[in-house]
């Protein structure tokens, strides 16, 4: 297709730049400017809306392309192979083309809003400047091909199951865990702190398992889960906490996407996370909330998971 061909040209123009970026640099975990969680949530919300509007099949393929690309990483900077670099660009270009232009521009504008104007120049200073310019010229040509292939109307909303066992169980889980949700400091910057003692390549292994799980999920249910998050963001209070109803809808939606993949795929995520999340991290989280609320939430979760497993 045209986007695939254009991605090869983009690769010619951008792979030198890709090799020069230190993908293992811890700086990418930082907020791209001053820390503004509620504004950042708005930017994430725009990404969620874009994800929810995207063609689920193309999202799946983009996840597969990322998984494959992680498998061909080499060298100290963590760069993927030239062929996989092109394949990721092509897959993302197709995802972008599957949503109306405005959805993409909304992400761009919201991200710009939380990005210090000095950040791009700083990023450029870490690589060969001429190669960054070459990559950007390549991107400008690529985007015209994407725009020429872009849809003008959003895809239909997801079908949300009703009256299912997971939906019923989500009510009980949400009742048991909403007090815990209210105890959590959602606006803290602790969630942007590096995991103690873990390197980027180690962390990427766990992300890779999530990508694999995402790729296996039922596309309609994933879309529904994204829509539920978007709705939930719309009802947050000043402390970032969503309403009980929207929280319940998120739990139901997430339970359904978990049930749409094999158990082992979920356990692969859990086991890889357990390898990088030190017990000091969980204990620190626990120390900041009412322990009774956390235990009630945990009990609710362990009951919920049996319902999920039964329909998995
Ligand atoms: Mg989420 C999970 C935040 C968007 C899909 N997501 C999580 C949690 C964290 C979070 C609260 C990971 C850390 C953790 O396990 O804490 N997501 C979060 C934010 C946003 C977002 C702030 C921004 C909008 N997510 C989002 C989108 C999607 C997902 C758009 C795609 C549709 N997210 C997704 C999945 C999962 C998460 C599939 C998880 O599996 C993971 C999670 O919650 O695992 C348990 C602990 C969790 C909480 C504090 C909240 C849930 C409370 C549960 C139901 C009960 C608590 C149990 C116990 C006390 C703690 C966990 C025990 C542990 C051993 C499992
Ligand atoms: C400017 C001035 C003009 C010239 C110009 C110009 C530049 C415009 C630009 C630009 C626009 C632009 C847009 C970019 C957009 C990037 C979008 C990224 C989206 C990320 C997402 C992430 C996610 C996920 C995911 C799916 C999940 C949801 C999420 C589900 C259902 C200014 C040059 C034209 C770069 C969507 C993918 C996992 C949130 O106009 O004169 O330069 O760049 O998890 O959804 O699972
Ligand atoms: C524009 C203007 C509108 C019209 C429009 C428009 C276009 C927007 C577009 C577009 C946005 C867009 C985004 C693309 C992004 C591509 C990103 C590629 C990333 C590849 C990576 C590969 C890799 C890895 C990996 C992880 C490793 C690092 C690597 C570590 C820690 C402008 C059309 C709406 C194409 C990251 C995965 C293995 C490098 O908005 O008017 O057209 O395209 O090895 O991580 O090692
Ligand atoms: C300039 C002037 C214009 C021309 C121009 C220009 C240059 C702009 C530039 C540039 C922008 C730019 C951006 C770059 C962005 C790279 C982003 C990389 C992200 C990598 C990540 C890696 C990671 C992980 C991971 C999970 C870990 C955390 C991490 C935990 C909990 C100035 C040329 C346009 C290079 C996210 C995945 C392992 C961080 O605009 O005239 O030149 O470069 O380890 O999670 O640990
Ligand atoms: C233990 C001991 C027994 C008792 C027990 C026990 C506990 C087991 C547990 C547990 C397992 C477990 C699993 C959990 C899994 C969480 C998985 C999260 C996945 C996140 C993903 C994120 C993503 C996306 C997304 C889609 C994108 C890709 C991504 C596309 C196509 C130990 C109690 C049984 C919590 C997948 C969603 C946006 C990466 O066994 O004695 O306690 O918890 O962007 O994909 O866009
Ligand atoms: C288990 C054992 C295996 C069998 C199995 C199994 C089950 C795994 C499961 C499962 C995992 C799982 C995960 C669930 C997670 C739910 C998470 C809910 C999060 C809700 C949020 C709501 C909100 C917001 C929002 C953003 C705001 C904050 C909030 C800010 C900054 C165990 C079956 C495989 C259900 C985050 C979105 C508005 C609070 O593995 O043997 O069954 O379920 O307002 O952000 O303000
Ligand atoms: C313990 C002992 C057992 C019993 C038990 C127990 C407790 C475990 C616990 C607990 C785990 C736990 C986890 C919590 C996790 C919370 C995660 C929240 C994530 C929030 C995010 C918010 C955000 C943003 C956002 C984007 C911004 C950055 C942020 C930028 C660029 C010990 C009870 C099981 C509470 C990610 C989205 C706005 C950070 O196990 O016997 O008690 O709690 O602002 O992006 O700015």
């Amino acid at each position: 297709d045209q986007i695939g061909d254009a991605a090869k040209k983009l690769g010619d123009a951008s792979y030198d730049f890709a090799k020069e970026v230190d993908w293992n640099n811890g700086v990418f975990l930082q907020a791209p400017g001053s820390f503004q969680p509620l504004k950042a949530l708005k930017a994430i919300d725009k990404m969620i809306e874009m994800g929810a509007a995207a063609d689920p099949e193309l999202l799946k393929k983009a996840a597969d392309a990322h998984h494959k690309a992680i498998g061909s990483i080499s060298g100290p900077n963590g760069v993927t192979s030239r062929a996989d670099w092109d394949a990721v660009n092509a897959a993302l270009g197709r995802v972008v083309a599957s949503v109306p232009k405005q959805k993409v521009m909304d992400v761009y504008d919201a991200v710009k809003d939380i990005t210090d104007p000095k950040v791009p120049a700083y990023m450029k200073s870490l690589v060969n400047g001429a190669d960054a310019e070459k990559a950007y010229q390549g991107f400008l040509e690529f985007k015209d091909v994407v725009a020429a292939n872009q849809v003008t109307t959003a895809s239909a909303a997801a079908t949300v199951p009703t009256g299912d066992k997971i939906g019923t169980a989500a009510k009980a889980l949400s009742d048991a865990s909403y007090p815990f949700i209210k105890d959590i400091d959602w606006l803290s910057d602790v969630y942007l702190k590096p995991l103690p003692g873990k390197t980027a390549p180690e962390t990427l292994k766990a992300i890779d398992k999530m990508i694999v799980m995402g790729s296996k999920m039922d596309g309609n249910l994933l879309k529904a889960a994204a829509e539920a998050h978007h709705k939930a963001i719309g009802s947050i209070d000043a402390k970032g906490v969503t309403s009980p109803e929207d929280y319940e809808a998120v739990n139901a939606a997430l339970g359904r996407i978990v049930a749409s993949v094999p158990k082992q795929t979920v356990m692969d995520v859990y086991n890889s996370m357990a390898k990088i999340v030190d017990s000091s991290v969980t204990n620190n989280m626990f120390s900041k909330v009412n322990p009774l609320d956390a235990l009630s939430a945990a009990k609710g979760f362990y009951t919920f998971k049996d319902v999920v497993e039964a329909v998995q």
Side-chain angles (χ1 to χ4, degrees), residues 74-204:
S74 68
N77 281 359
V79 76
T80 188
S81 72
R82 167 65 203 268
D84 287 338
W85 174 256
D86 291 6
V88 169
N89 279 316
L92 292 178
R94 291 180 195 114
V95 167
V96 171
S98 79
V99 305
K101 173 178 163 175
Q102 195 52 47
K103 293 254 186 258
V104 186
M105 291 310 294
D106 287 349
V107 174
Y108 178 80
D109 293 337
V111 170
K112 191 171 190 228
D113 205 35
I114 55 165
T115 304
D116 187 300
K118 292 193 202 79
V119 167
Y122 174 67
M123 288 301 155
K124 191 183 171 190
S125 78
L126 300 178
V127 297
N128 176 320
D131 289 338
E133 296 288 350
K134 195 174 68 170
Y136 184 56
Q137 286 312 314
F139 173 72
L140 289 180
E141 286 180 33
F142 181 73
K143 71 114 171 58
D144 289 336
V145 178
V146 171
N149 286 278
Q150 196 159 31
V151 301
T152 48
T153 46
S155 59
T159 323
V160 183
T162 48
D164 58 333
K165 289 190 173 124
I166 293 180
T168 307
K171 166 97 178 94
L173 167 61
S174 306
D175 289 346
S177 59
Y178 193 66
F180 170 62
I181 291 296
K182 282 198 284 186
D183 294 341
I184 297 169
D185 182 0
W186 293 98
L187 306 183
S188 165
D189 67 355
V190 72
Y191 314 110
L192 285 179
K193 300 285 176 220
L195 291 168
K198 295 305 165 217
T199 63
E202 285 169 322
T203 310
L204 189 63

